[in-house]
Amino acid sequence: IVLSVCVPTYNRPKEFERMLLGLLPQLTKETEVVVRDDSQNNESKEIFDRLFEGKEIAYQYFRGDKIGLDAASLFLLEHAKGTFFWLFSDDDELLDGGVAEVVRLIKTYPELNLIWANFDSDLPRGIAIMDRPSGFFRDGNEALEVLGTGVGLVSTQIFRCKNGLQGLEIARKHVVGFSFASTAVFLHVLSGPGKFYFLKGPYVLCHPTTNEEIVKATNKTGKIINEGFNVYGVHFFSIVKEFEGKFSKRAIKKI
């Protein structure tokens, strides 16, 4: 298996189905899909079974108690069987040709250790696709300077499993539920050897959760316990601090 597309999901059957409908036609014998489903009902599993019935596609499907996005993402990395790991959000969409292009890059460049897949967004304010052609970053420092906080976006992160597993110890220090601890693994790979690729695409369509939606979802008692991306920003900062000595001061300042 060249590529494992790994999806953590929790109580979002409609979004999960939309994601699978974009992914399913792109899977081949060189790929697998790995799901960690901590939902409180069987809706997502039933959708998956219906869509995958009769198809010769490698997959792993895990059910469990809710452990949060951080722990679920690291769980998926540990169970992926592919040479490369692509962490994909259950509410984003994989656009046509994404899997084929990633597999082509992996097979063409043996020294490749990491890919950052560019994205488009359906937010009203829009997110500009970077005006940069596909190609290799000079090194990890240039990648950070170009991508900034974009390195932390789930669905853009693709890296060699072997290298990612070596970053699990750092990542586990940042498992708090919803801090995107997978970014610690991504930065670990980016700070190491090998080549790093910018894939312009876009092959990912993001449907980001807004700050207002997070506040509404976490304001259960009249007291806001998670003020959305403000809290995420604190955790992101703590992850970046782990890597201050592994990147240039300029790159760290940018991110």
Side-chain angles (χ1 to χ4, degrees):
I1 294 174
V2 175
L3 178 67
S4 297
V5 181
C6 298
V7 187
T9 189
Y10 176 73
N11 286 355
R12 292 204 282 203
K14 291 182 180 179
E15 293 87 347
F16 184 60
E17 181 174 23
R18 180 182 64 193
M19 183 277 304
L20 290 175
L21 288 171
L23 170 64
L24 186 57
Q26 302 191 47
L27 297 173
T28 70
K29 292 182 178 180
E30 295 180 299
T31 62
E32 70 165 352
V33 58
V34 192
V35 176
R36 166 87 193 206
D37 177 10
D38 293 347
S39 302
Q40 295 168 310
N41 55 54
N42 292 321
E43 282 187 69
S44 295
K45 182 62 166 64
E46 291 169 357
I47 288 169
F48 186 92
D49 289 345
R50 170 170 52 81
L51 292 177
F52 278 70
E53 184 178 6
K55 295 181 171 59
E56 294 184 9
I57 295 171
Y59 69 85
Q60 302 179 68
Y61 201 104
F62 299 95
R63 295 297 307 271
D65 296 329
K66 183 183 178 183
I67 57 176
L69 176 63
D70 291 341
S73 299
L74 302 186
F75 174 93
L76 289 167
L77 173 58
E78 290 185 281
H79 287 82
K81 295 179 180 178
T83 304
F84 271 70
F85 170 88
W86 189 346
L87 181 63
F88 212 90
S89 177
D90 62 355
D91 65 343
D92 290 339
E93 293 182 69
L94 181 59
L95 303 179
D96 289 347
V99 168
E101 180 59 14
V102 169
V103 169
R104 185 191 72 79
L105 288 171
I106 293 168
K107 295 170 71 174
T108 302
Y109 301 108
E111 70 276 27
L112 184 64
N113 277 342
L114 179 147
I115 300 168
W116 190 86
N118 202 3
F119 65 96
D120 201 354
S121 168
D122 65 354
L123 281 182
R125 66 177 183 270
I127 297 178
I129 300 170
M130 295 178 189
D131 186 19
R132 178 188 177 96
S134 291
F136 288 104
F137 292 108
R138 182 178 64 252
D139 54 22
N141 290 314
E142 186 192 22
L144 283 193
E145 290 175 27
V146 170
L147 302 176
T149 56
V151 299
L153 184 67
V154 174
S155 303
T156 66
Q157 300 174 344
I158 309 168
F159 50 79
R160 191 175 293 274
C161 282
K162 180 179 67 175
N163 298 61
L165 289 168
Q166 295 169 0
L168 278 176
E169 184 177 350
I170 295 174
R172 287 196 178 102
K173 293 164 59 178
H174 297 277
V175 171
V176 296
F178 191 74
S179 75
F180 301 123
S182 59
T183 301
V185 179
F186 193 80
L187 289 175
H188 171 80
V189 178
L190 195 60
S191 68
K195 296 273 191 158
F196 316 126
Y197 197 90
F198 174 82
L199 180 58
K200 181 175 181 178
Y203 291 113
V204 179
L205 177 60
C206 291
H207 301 282
T209 304
T210 66
N211 196 54
E212 292 74 21
E213 289 171 330
I214 293 177
V215 170
K216 182 178 178 181
T218 58
N219 187 2
K220 302 296 187 184
T221 63
K223 180 181 179 182
I224 296 174
I225 59 173
N226 175 359
E227 203 169 335
F229 292 115
N230 295 327
V231 171
Y232 165 57
V234 173
H235 291 302
F236 186 82
F237 180 81
S238 71
I239 290 172
V240 172
K241 292 286 284 184
E242 292 273 4
F243 293 88
E244 277 187 312
K246 297 186 177 182
F247 294 97
S248 70
K249 290 183 178 180
R250 176 176 169 175
I252 291 293
K253 183 177 180 181
K254 172 62 188 290
I255 192 174

